[in-house]
Every structure is written in structure tokens, then in C-alpha cells.
Amino acid sequence: MVQVGKAHIEESVFPGELSAQWTRVRNRLRHEVGDSAFRSWLKPLTLIEATAGGVTLSVPTRFMRDWVATHYADRLRALWGSEDPAIRSVDIVARASAAASAETPVAANRATATTPPTTPPAMLATPAIVPADGAQLPVDLLDLDANLDNRFTFENFVVGKPNELAFAAARRVAESSTVPFNPLFLYGGVGLGKTHLMHAIAWHIRKRDPNRRVIYMSAEKFMYQFIRALRFKDTVAFKEQFRSVDLLMIDDVQFISGKDSTQEEFFHTFNALVDRNRQIVISADKSPHDLEGMEERLRSRLGWGLVADIHPTSYELRLGIMQAKAENTGVTIPEKVLEFLAHKVTSNVRELEGALNRIVAHAQLVGRPVTLEGTQEVLQDLLRASDRRVTIEEIQKRVAEHFNIRVADMHSARRSRAVARPRQVAMYLAKQLTARSLPEIGRKFGGRDHTTVMHAVKKVDELRAADQSFAEDVELLRRMLES
Amino acid sequence: MTQLAFDLPQRPALGREDFLVADCNAEAVAWLDRWPDWPRAGRLPAALAIHGPAGCGKTHLASVWQAVSAARRIEPRQVTAETVPALLEGADAIVLDGLTADIDERGLFHLLNLLGERDGHLLITAALPPARWAIALPDLKSRLAALPAIGVGAPDEALLAAVMVKLFADRQLMVSQELVQFLLPRIERSFAAVQSIVDRLDKAALISRRNITVPLARALLAGGNTENDKEGN
């Protein structure tokens, strides 16, 4: 399933005792150097050989070998020695030289750990280069499966006040064996479900009457296919394919506005189908009347049938959609998180779904349950208008307020505990929240030296580890400054 | 006679094994390792947008993913409404590395749609999360805002040290720990600053024909620290 970090060569090839020693050595090292350095440098170490007097460890690359050998070899030797006094040497080698095929286990592991990407039939059916002599159109126009998304059905469409008219009209088209209105023109803002309804119509018809020929296509695709047909001088086949269908659906028709020859072709296709009493469904971001860059005669035709608009979502509808989608994620999502999303992500359903995807994936990746706090953190780029940069001055002001001292004390030479501690906290936060260099931070705190800043950071780290309420104080300040 | 220092392009090591995993990028790496199990919103391709400051390893991550997914790399400036079908011909995984505000909006919109229709995969890297880009086309804006975006965050000390060593190693230079410890507190704590100091030290060493040492670094920093004191960034 989810695979995080690097793949390691199986260590069970070594006797249990040796593996256990290696595990203890690693754990003690992690403790000594801290998680961050451990992950960067020591976690990638792999035990590859053990002889009477020594062990050999490998790292992925040459420069890591140099670094580990320079900085950690002594500790490794000492720790191994304490496990087994017979071990006197620890060799570090780069994996590339230890095993020429260092990449292979990783690649192999990945291949089995995950499912390979599927190659959709549409791509196979679309040849990369159409031979000039036997020029022909790709045959995927009628290959509906390739163009339809099986998640977009009527059953999966959450109906509410803002979309009930469009939903009812779409169902009517799907269920009717005659043509109830031509065309059905669905319009509304982005990400509100127009495409979903069109796919749902196609699925429904496919189930009920597989012999009916349905084409669903985005307007841009129509344009690309048409241009291609022009290039290969094969417009006759192009026209035939479109005009022989029972139901034609063109999504986002506004994208053929301004393209004269494509519009012309679309207009003729449209008329031909209407004449033969075949159903047409069109979607757009505006009503036919408001479509810009579209010829008047086409605009007026588009408005002949039923024009159904989809309104922006209401809070209730968004919450309903979130609840429906949350059920399918396989992850438990607290109701208050769903309410929060429905409240905050108001623009459209696509963004709501994207937001839900992100918090679910995040929860899976870090292996923690979904919480409101986590959600706010993961979605901060969506929820906050901009990434405001915290300045050192702001930090000083907030920290001074919090500890009830004067801002001037941040710069003063006073060393009493009551002002020194808040000052250290502010320095610590300045280091955490800004990218300023330590000398620069020192300068902003009354011209102090960068070693003073380093000392403050160390001190605050110690206090955070020792004193829970102090740690919470600092955390609270950090959040306030970041929000 | 002074030694001339040429701006020879560095050839950085960009393999998965060379990527340094730390707190600030662990989640981005986890997302890449999770591929192809990436979520989709609506008809969008299964996509991931990695964002972060210059030099934080976005291109490196993109290369790692490109290798495992056999993705096609497309230069963002090549993307236009007209070129997209040809650019995507025969590809179901795409890398767009280093997207900037001047991207052709119609082109990117079509790219998302066409790639989504064929259940394709997409990796984008940029300085800012897609939800923050100044996009005029509402259809594109909403699609971008629905993509999973993961930030590569501010680096901690250990990672900056590691990156510094890696950048020196990319230039076949082995430096002492003393030098790294000397430099880190004195430069801005960003990847860009590390990159810049490594550049400048390499050049200074070449010109003065000295080894890269603490005294050389001290002389360089004393000589002009303007670059690191720059506001903004």
C-alpha cells in the first residue's frame, strides 16, 4: 500500500543476534543525534556484511558515505563495540559501488507495492502519428467507455435546490425514448456538476438501451478532432460520425466561441441532428444569450429547447455532497470537519472534492486520523488568502503582549528573567518562522550576537522539552503568528 | 594573472537515492511514493502540485517521479491551446516543472482536460500552491484549486547542512564539518542562500586558487553580505 521512505535490503539474511544488535545500535544513534539528522544520514544505512572483526554498512551515494564516515563512524564503532567487543571496525561503503544495481531493488519493490498505471483504451486507439497515405480518423469517437467516468452517475449526484431543475431535465432526457426538448442546454458556473449530469445521461442510456449511439465530447475535443479532420482532408468521415448518432453531448461549448470554422461545422452538425430528430445536450458556463464570440444564429438555436441553469451551491447542498463523498473514502471523517469544509470552501463542488481528497490522502500518508486542526493545516493554501510573511517586529510585538512586557524590552539590555525569557522565546520564534540569518535576528534584538540567538534557541528547546505548559505557550504563540 | 572562473553548468545528482528526506519534504516524498494511487477530483488527471521556495528540491522530486512514471516532461512555455494535443500525443503522464504566472491559461486548461479524459497523471512544480496563482480563466482556476498541493517547507538545520554538502559534492568538492557549521548560522536559512554561498565559495576558491576553508568563507562573507541581507525572497 502506502510506501514511505526508502526501501531497504532485507536484513533478515543476518542471524537474529546480529540484526538485533544493529537495531539497537540504530535506536541509540537516533536517540543521540535526533530524529532529523538520523533520517537524513543514518536511516539509509544498511548492514551488508559482518565478519569476525568488523561490519560493513552501505549508504546510497558516495557523498553520503563521506559524510557519514567523517561524522558518525566513531560513534558507530563505539556503539557496535559495546554490543560486541570483538567488532573493531565499521566500514562505510557507497551502495552504488557495493552493488552496481542499487536501483533495482527499489524499482522492483515499487512495482510490486503499487498497481501499475492503467493505459486507457482511448490512448491506444489514438495513434501517435497517422500515416499520411492511409490517413484516417481515430476511432475513439464512438468509444463511449473511454470518454465516460463511471463515478458520474445519477445515483452519485447529490440533488438540492440549486441543481434540481437541471437534474430533472437530465433524467428526463436519459429516460425518454423520444426527444423531449432539443437541445437540453445546461449552464452554470464552473465545477457545479454539468459534466457529471452529462455523463450520467450517457450511463443511463447505455444501461437501458445499449444500441443507442451516444457521443459525449468536450467542445475543445470537438475542435481538435475537426482540425485534425481538416488536416487529413477527411471531413466527410468526421461529419458522418457525428451525424449518425442518436445523442450528441458537447460539454463546455463556450470553448468553440471565436473559432469560426469549428463553429460553422458545429452549427451544421447541430442542424443536421435536429432535423433528424436526434437528441442534443449542450453545456456552457453562460446562458445561450450571453455566450460571447458566438454567431447570433447559433446562439439562438442553442436556446430553442430547454435551458436549465445550475445555481451556485447552498451550504446544505455542499454538506450533503461532502457527506456522500466522505462515505466512499474509506476514512472516518468527523462531521465537524465536513461542516467546516462546506462552510469554508464555497466556490464550487470540484474544489470541495479536491479539498476532501487532500485531507484523506494526508491522513493516510501520515497515518493519523482526520481532525479539524489537521484539515486547517493541510488546506492552508485554499483557506487563507495569501501566505503572509511573519516579520520579526510582529513576533516581538505579539510575544511582548503575551508576556505582558514592553516591546522596547525586546531590544533592551535588561537581563532580568522577566524580560530575558520572553526575549528568548521571540528569538526562537524568529528563527522558526522567518528565514532571516541568525546575525540578522540578533541585530533586531538590540544588536545582540548570533551566538546569543543560538543560545536562546537551545534554551527554549530545552524548556519546551521539560515544561509542558511552556511548550503549549510557545505553540500557541506560533499558531497566532501563523494564522 | 588571475584564474578565470567559468560558469560551467553543474550536473547535480538527481536520483531518488540522492534526495535528502527531512521533515520539510517528507510528505512530498510520501506522495510521490504513493503514486499511482493519487486522488482525482472530477475529471481532472490524477495530479500533484509541489510548491516551495527556489532550490528546495522541486526539480529533483520531479525527476524522481519522472523516472518511476516514465512521464513526459513538457516545458511550461511550450503549452498553448494549439500545441497541447501534439504535446500530449501518446503520453499519459506529464511533468510540468517550474510553472510561472505567465503560463498560457487556455493551454493549461486544455492540457488538464485532455489528460483527465485519458485518466492521465500530472506532476506540477511551482513556487506557489496552484490555489494562489493569479489565474483569470475561472474554469482553470477551479481546476487548479482542486489539485492536491503539497508544500516543501522551510528547511531545518540538518537538512540545510546536508544540502550544502550535497551541492559541494555535486561539484566534486569535499568540505569540512567546521566549514558547514561556520556557514550555516551566517547565511539566510533558505535553500537559495545555500546554493548561492556554495556558488560563490566555489568561484572564490577557483579565482584565488585556495581550498574552500573557514578563512576563505570568512573573507568572502566579510567582503559583501548584501546578497543574504536582501529583503523579501
Side-chain angles (χ1 to χ4, degrees), chain A residues 17-185:
Chain A
E17 176 59 12
L18 197 61
S19 288
Q21 286 175 350
W22 176 220
T23 304
R24 284 196 294 273
V25 169
R26 282 161 62 103
N27 287 343
R28 289 175 61 182
L29 265 177
R30 181 200 290 268
H31 190 72
E32 284 181 17
V33 305
D35 270 348
S36 168
F38 181 83
R39 195 168 36 226
S40 298
W41 301 113
L42 300 165
K43 192 156 172 263
L45 282 173
T46 306
L47 176 61
I48 58 166
E49 198 186 18
T51 57
V55 293
T56 306
L57 304 170
S58 77
V59 285
T61 63
R62 203 167 49 85
F63 97 83
M64 284 182 90
R65 176 203 65 196
D66 295 344
W67 184 264
V68 172
T70 321
H71 301 101
Y72 302 108
D74 288 345
R75 282 313 295 152
L76 280 164
R77 201 154 35 234
L79 290 170
W80 269 107
S82 70
E83 288 286 336
D84 179 357
I87 290 178
R88 292 167 182 283
S89 74
V90 173
D91 278 337
I92 320 276
V93 298
R95 208 166 290 160
S97 58
S101 56
E103 284 294 340
T104 323
V106 179
N109 199 332
R110 189 183 306 283
T112 52
T114 52
T115 46
T118 50
T119 307
M123 292 183 44
L124 299 174
T126 312
I129 297 156
V130 180
D133 46 348
Q136 53 177 297
L137 279 167
V139 289
D140 68 341
L141 286 189
L142 294 170
D143 185 359
L144 197 56
D145 283 1
N147 284 327
L148 286 186
D149 195 307
N150 59 14
R151 294 165 301 168
F152 293 170
T153 60
F154 285 126
E155 291 72 34
N156 290 341
F157 193 87
V158 181
V159 188
K161 268 258 172 291
N163 59 25
E164 61 187 6
L165 172 63
F167 178 80
R171 267 212 96 96
R172 180 83 190 280
V173 165
E175 282 164 0
S176 171
S177 42
T178 58
V179 175
F181 20 73
N182 221 1
L184 168 59
F185 191 98

Side-chain angles (χ1 to χ4, degrees), chain B residues 42-125:
Chain B
R43 290 233 80 195
L44 287 168
L48 178 67
I50 296 180
H51 57 92
C56 71
K58 299 188 296 292
T59 297
H60 192 156
L61 287 170
S63 303
V64 169
W65 182 73
Q66 195 182 356
V68 297
S69 66
R72 175 178 300 167
R73 191 192 187 94
I74 295 178
E75 288 303 318
R77 63 188 156 70
Q78 292 182 308
V79 174
T80 68
E82 287 70 38
T83 57
V84 157
L87 288 173
L88 294 190
E89 198 84 68
D92 68 341
I94 298 292
V95 172
L96 282 172
D97 185 27
L99 271 197
T100 47
D102 57 0
I103 185 78
D104 182 292
E105 296 192 7
R106 285 283 279 252
L108 185 56
F109 174 72
H110 290 324
L111 186 146
L112 287 173
N113 288 349
L114 289 183
L115 202 55
E117 263 177 37
R118 53 175 81 160
D119 301 319
H121 299 255
L122 174 69
L123 180 74
I124 291 175
T125 75

Side-chain angles (χ1 to χ4, degrees), chain A residues 39 61 151 220 224 350 362, chain B residues 18 23 27 42 81 110 142:
Chain A
R39 195 168 36 226
T61 63
R151 294 165 301 168
E220 67 205 277
Y224 289 136
R350 186 185 290 124
H362 176 79
Chain B
D18 295 301
D23 282 342
E27 201 176 341
H110 290 324
S142 109

Side-chain angles (χ1 to χ4, degrees), chain A residues 1-7 36-37 39-41 60-64 66-67 70-71 95 102-103 106 110 114-120 122-123 126-129 146-149 151-152 190-191 194-195 199 216-218 220-221 223-224 228 252 254-257 259 285 348 350-351 353-355 357-358 360-362 364-366 378 380-387 389 430-432 434-441 443-444 450 454, chain B residues 15-24 26-27 29-37 39-44 51 64 68-69 80-85 89-92 106 109-111 113-114 117-121 128-132 137-150 154 156-159 161-163 165-166 169 172 174-178 180-181 184-190 225 228-233:
Chain A
M1 251 291 289
V2 178
Q3 191 197 355
V4 179
K6 294 179 198 289
S36 168
R39 195 168 36 226
S40 298
W41 301 113
T61 63
R62 203 167 49 85
F63 97 83
M64 284 182 90
D66 295 344
W67 184 264
T70 321
H71 301 101
R95 208 166 290 160
E103 284 294 340
V106 179
R110 189 183 306 283
T114 52
T115 46
T118 50
T119 307
M123 292 183 44
T126 312
I129 297 156
N147 284 327
L148 286 186
D149 195 307
R151 294 165 301 168
F152 293 170
V190 295
K194 301 185 293 285
T195 301
H199 284 228
Y216 162 83
M217 189 174 279
S218 63
E220 67 205 277
K221 189 108 179 242
M223 182 180 79
Y224 289 136
R228 189 184 186 120
D252 277 333
Q254 72 271 16
F255 283 102
I256 58 167
S257 63
K259 315 273 187 227
D285 62 345
N348 59 61
R350 186 185 290 124
E351 284 173 35
E353 187 183 1
N357 282 342
R358 287 170 66 181
V360 168
H362 176 79
Q364 290 167 340
L365 288 174
V366 302
V378 171
Q380 50 177 299
D381 57 307
L382 275 184
L383 300 173
R384 260 191 264 148
S386 68
D387 263 330
R389 266 174 206 289
K431 180 180 176 245
Q432 300 296 320
T434 76
R436 304 277 83 113
S437 71
L438 301 190
E440 197 179 341
I441 294 174
R443 275 198 294 281
K444 300 239 176 167
H450 81 269
M454 280 159 94
Chain B
R16 170 68 169 86
E17 300 292 294
D18 295 301
F19 193 81
L20 300 154
V21 182
D23 282 342
C24 62
E27 201 176 341
V29 173
W31 268 97
L32 293 188
D33 284 340
R34 180 191 160 118
W35 182 84
D37 181 18
R40 301 175 64 184
R43 290 233 80 195
L44 287 168
H51 57 92
V64 169
V68 297
S69 66
T80 68
E82 287 70 38
T83 57
V84 157
E89 198 84 68
D92 68 341
R106 285 283 279 252
F109 174 72
H110 290 324
L111 186 146
N113 288 349
L114 289 183
E117 263 177 37
R118 53 175 81 160
D119 301 319
H121 299 255
L128 290 176
R132 296 270 167 77
L137 188 65
D139 307 73
L140 178 61
K141 200 171 174 53
S142 109
R143 279 166 175 75
L144 289 173
L147 298 182
I150 192 77
D156 60 18
E157 225 108 285
L159 181 64
V163 167
V165 174
K166 176 186 185 298
Q172 317 297 323
M174 183 68 198
V175 294
S176 69
Q177 191 185 14
E178 287 69 39
V180 175
Q181 292 314 326
L184 279 183
R186 288 169 177 80
I187 60 170
E188 184 181 276
R189 283 165 297 112
S190 72
N225 205 16
N228 298 311
D229 278 349
K230 211 161 42 181
E231 281 299 318
N233 196 18

